[in-house]
Amino acid sequence: MFRLSSLRLAKVLVLAEVAGGKVAPATLSAITAAAQVGPVTALVAGKDAQVVADALAKTKGVEEVLTTAGDHYDHGLPEEYAPLVASAVTTNGYTHVFAGTSAFGKNIIPRAAAKLDALAISEVTAIKDENTFVRQLYAGNAIATVKSADKVKFCTVRGTTFERAAPEGGSGKISEFPAVAASGKAKFVEDKISASDKPDLTTAATVVTGGRGIKNKENFKILEDLASSLHAAVGATRAIVDAGYAPNEMQVGQTGKTVAPNFYLACGVSGAIQHVAGMKDSKVIAVVNTDEDAPFFQIADYGIVEDLFKVVPALTEKINASK
Amino acid sequence: MLRSTLLNRLKVVVGVKRVVDYTVKVRVKDNKIQTANSKMSVNPFDEIAIEEAIQLKEKKIATEVIAVTVGNKKAEEVLRTAMALGCDKAIHVLVPDAQAEHVDPLAVAQIFKKLHEELKPDLWILGKQAVDGDYGNAPQILAGLLDVPQGTFASKVEVDGKKVKVTREVDAGHQVVELETPCVIAADLRLNTPRFPKLPNIMKARKKPIDTRDVASLGVDIKPRLTVETVTEPPERKAGVKVKTIDEFYDKLHNEAKVL
């Protein structure tokens, strides 16, 4: 893919995130990014480590899997993971440490980097060479190419710009890596996970999003009906999450989730820069808004100046009729 | 003496950054982000951090709230705002203009660590990210350097003696963790709704002293770890077509884009 700019051989450690007993999609994107730099070792810790290690070993691009046992790794606590990552880097001499851009990766990577006197590079969207990375700033309004002078490069990888590594085609060897004694600095109390039968927002092929134009919580149902006809995930703007019409994990934008689906349908969303930052890399964008001056129309492939309460049910009906 | 003051005498430090106002769309020219005449404000997440700290004071959980910033002379403005909102004191770590734009989160956290050793606070509250660099790293780095627990993406903070229960916004919902002080909290959007400063308080805040320190006196090397090679604008998306009827809208999406 590119020539290594130095003689030192790159070795990448990917911090694997486990979600529901499986490898998280964000980790699979991080593996693809890591494979562009050098041979990939995945590190998985906690109670599901053995099960997930088998899946990781078969994942394309993974040469080695380190498994670490210990209940103190079960809830992704950074106080426990950061010393483990630091220990793996010190013991095995990795030159890079990657993780997906998820709450898990964002929480651990900067702390682990600090342990080794490095500055973590957040949400890398492209890799130029082993020291040079591309990332966005100012809500995606500027794209910077940055070169790191740190000995070990720590990066979180933006999942929407790297394909997920294929689940087959790898033949990594599995070995155990010793746990670091529990620090006990933080205590896990509970997870309050929102149950959803819809596709995951960050990996869905189609996303239907509602903004302020949706007016109240009950009206959200018309978007959900359309989404189920399309097998789409439902997204929301900050305004309607703040208003309590949708849970926070549905927020798309600079401070919420970044999505890049094949099709993004925005209903009653003005298109503020903070929202657009989270979805502008979608392949096809369509916008429904009664305000013809809404900024969203300037980037939409298809737009209609019309009441979403007319458009959304009509689309649902047409889609159901064509099935 | 009130029981609460015996149990809880927290000293809280909030980190505040002066950034281009979040509503401004920045332009890129000559390989540089043009911020010269942009409106500047307190980073929105830091306003939330300040609000949380002053609420802790109003609940008599915190006894003192200190606002700190790292930046050039103009960064003083954000400390005045913080004091108008209710912070008791402020420390300005002054960085020369030439370097002010490129102080990376690691250097900021190293500076905060020096201040921590001096102030010995129980709680640090920072914003989860600054809306200019979009790193979202400083709180985690600070917690790592101090080797104390971290409560990032916090949407609820409950203090009980030396224990701090933090509800965190994570990918699939919320996670609750319990941390011991000292610890670092990173404020998410939904932690609270920041208040506006009142005019009399703005006037009073002008008279409050700011403890200004030269960055060099703290012995932290602020040379950036990252060299910016290029800065460009993102590829522009062209406006597409506006259609007149719902039938036409469906037809375009179904037959042309093939997404429905």
Side-chain angles (χ1 to χ4, degrees):
Chain A
M1 189 145 281
F2 52 76
R3 276 171 172 277
L4 292 179
S5 55
S6 75
L7 290 174
R8 189 171 68 133
L9 289 179
K11 277 172 77 178
V12 195
L13 182 70
V14 173
L15 180 57
E17 175 179 2
V18 182
K22 289 199 292 203
V23 186
T27 301
L28 298 173
S29 299
I31 289 169
T32 302
Q36 293 185 12
V37 179
V40 176
T41 301
L43 170 68
V44 59
K47 90 169 154 3
D48 296 314
Q50 290 304 329
V51 187
V52 172
D54 291 333
L56 279 169
K58 291 194 200 100
T59 303
K60 193 163 188 287
V62 175
E63 305 215 345
E64 192 182 3
V65 183
L66 303 180
T67 64
T68 302
D71 342 336
H72 52 300
Y73 300 116
D74 284 351
H75 303 288
L77 296 178
E79 294 81 0
E80 308 301 346
Y81 267 94
L84 176 67
V85 172
S87 160
V89 171
T90 316
T91 311
N92 295 349
Y94 300 105
T95 57
H96 295 70
V97 181
F98 283 13
T101 301
S102 60
F104 172 85
K106 289 195 282 191
N107 202 19
I108 298 168
I109 289 290
R111 186 178 176 112
K115 297 264 169 220
L116 295 169
D117 191 36
L119 171 67
I121 308 167
S122 308
E123 291 202 54
V124 164
T125 56
I127 298 167
K128 296 267 185 194
D129 66 41
E130 61 175 38
N131 302 315
T132 318
F133 307 91
V134 180
R135 64 180 300 270
Q136 303 187 352
L137 44 167
Y138 286 93
N141 283 310
I143 298 174
T145 302
V146 293
K147 189 169 186 171
S148 169
D150 286 326
K151 262 192 241 135
V152 184
K153 279 84 179 163
F154 286 80
C155 302
T156 54
V157 170
R158 186 174 274 195
T160 53
T161 57
F162 293 92
E163 294 284 321
R164 275 177 272 165
E168 300 295 329
S171 54
K173 64 170 187 196
I174 300 177
S175 49
E176 277 181 39
F177 189 81
V180 175
S183 79
K185 284 186 190 299
K187 204 173 93 189
F188 166 78
V189 180
E190 61 174 325
D191 276 330
K192 296 178 196 166
I193 303 302
S194 305
S196 172
D197 49 1
K198 302 229 163 48
D200 176 61
L201 184 58
T202 50
T203 54
T206 302
V207 174
V208 178
T209 292
R212 218 186 284 268
I214 203 82
K215 293 195 179 83
N216 64 43
K217 192 172 183 167
E218 289 63 45
N219 290 341
F220 222 71
K221 186 164 184 312
I222 65 165
L223 292 186
E224 282 167 3
D225 289 344
L226 175 59
S228 35
S229 297
L230 286 170
H231 298 290
V234 181
T237 61
R238 178 189 170 182
I240 67 164
V241 175
D242 283 351
Y245 304 163
N248 67 288
E249 62 273 13
M250 273 166 55
Q251 187 185 325
V252 173
Q254 183 186 20
T255 64
K257 288 181 175 148
T258 305
V259 301
N262 189 41
F263 177 44
Y264 191 89
L265 178 63
C267 307
V269 183
S270 66
I273 49 180
Q274 296 80 20
H275 180 75
V276 170
M279 50 63 64
K280 66 181 162 52
D281 297 324
S282 304
K283 288 200 182 68
V284 176
I285 299 172
V287 170
V288 182
N289 204 311
T290 47
D291 175 11
E292 62 177 317
D293 296 324
F296 229 144
F297 285 117
Q298 290 164 22
I299 61 158
D301 301 294
Y302 301 97
I304 182 165
V305 181
E306 180 59 279
D307 190 346
L308 73 94
F309 297 106
K310 287 185 190 153
V311 179
V312 174
L315 288 182
T316 310
E317 205 174 294
K318 283 175 188 288
I319 292 156
N320 290 344
S322 72
K323 274 180 186 170
Chain B
M1 196 183 268
L2 287 171
R3 198 169 161 264
S4 64
T5 55
L6 281 173
L7 281 176
N8 293 310
R9 302 173 64 88
L10 297 191
K11 188 193 268 189
V12 183
V13 181
V14 289
V16 189
K17 187 178 184 186
R18 180 176 181 263
V19 299
V20 173
D21 191 84
Y22 76 98
T23 57
V24 174
K25 188 176 191 286
V26 297
R27 298 281 167 197
V28 180
K29 213 181 124 192
D30 304 329
N31 231 350
K32 211 175 164 307
I33 295 154
Q34 303 299 315
T35 56
N37 295 309
S38 301
K39 182 185 173 201
M40 306 293 282
S41 305
V42 175
N43 177 43
F45 292 99
D46 302 347
E47 289 183 332
I48 297 168
I50 295 167
E51 176 65 29
E52 196 65 17
I54 52 183
Q55 283 186 18
L56 288 174
K57 210 180 131 193
E58 286 165 349
K59 289 179 201 153
K60 310 239 182 279
I61 292 169
T63 48
E64 186 177 33
V65 179
I66 305 169
V68 301
T69 197
V70 177
N72 64 4
K73 192 76 189 80
K74 287 181 179 159
E76 199 183 295
E77 292 162 14
V78 297
L79 295 178
R80 295 280 172 212
T81 305
M83 290 194 291
L85 288 165
C87 292
D88 300 293
K89 296 195 231 174
I91 300 176
H92 182 181
V93 178
L94 190 64
V95 177
D97 277 330
Q99 284 161 284
E101 266 181 60
H102 295 286
V103 183
D104 64 40
L106 181 61
V108 170
Q110 285 167 338
I111 291 165
F112 285 1
K113 183 181 183 228
K114 292 280 180 189
L115 296 177
H116 182 89
E117 287 158 6
E118 179 188 323
L119 303 167
K120 300 194 171 50
D122 304 283
L123 210 57
W124 278 88
I125 311 181
L126 312 183
K128 76 160 175 178
Q129 80 192 71
V131 297
D132 52 0
D134 282 336
Y135 274 96
N137 283 0
Q140 298 90 310
I141 301 173
L142 177 62
L145 294 177
L146 298 175
D147 203 23
V148 301
Q150 68 193 46
T152 53
F153 324 132
S155 59
K156 194 173 178 190
V157 175
E158 297 156 279
V159 181
D160 182 9
K162 286 182 87 58
K163 294 203 184 325
V164 185
K165 205 189 214 185
V166 181
T167 302
R168 310 178 50 239
E169 293 195 1
V170 295
D171 295 327
H174 290 91
Q175 182 185 65
V176 184
V177 291
E178 192 180 273
L179 318 173
E180 276 213 9
T181 58
C183 59
V184 179
I185 308 288
D188 213 321
L189 276 176
R190 278 167 279 277
L191 183 57
N192 58 48
T193 308
R195 69 192 71 184
F196 291 100
K198 295 195 179 80
L199 187 61
N201 295 345
I202 295 171
M203 302 307 285
K204 270 185 238 162
R206 284 196 189 155
K207 295 200 184 97
K208 292 189 188 178
I210 291 176
D211 177 1
T212 305
R213 315 280 181 88
D214 196 281
V215 69
S217 73
L218 293 171
V220 174
D221 179 9
I222 59 166
K223 185 169 167 277
R225 298 298 183 93
L226 295 179
T227 319
V228 179
E229 300 209 316
T230 60
V231 185
T232 57
E233 287 210 343
E236 212 159 312
R237 269 192 101 104
K238 284 192 199 85
V241 291
K242 262 189 200 167
V243 300
K244 295 262 185 273
T245 66
I246 296 174
D247 285 338
E248 212 184 326
F249 192 56
Y250 176 79
D251 176 67
K252 288 277 186 194
L253 293 173
H254 184 72
N255 296 319
E256 191 177 287
K258 300 192 193 307
V259 290
L260 286 185

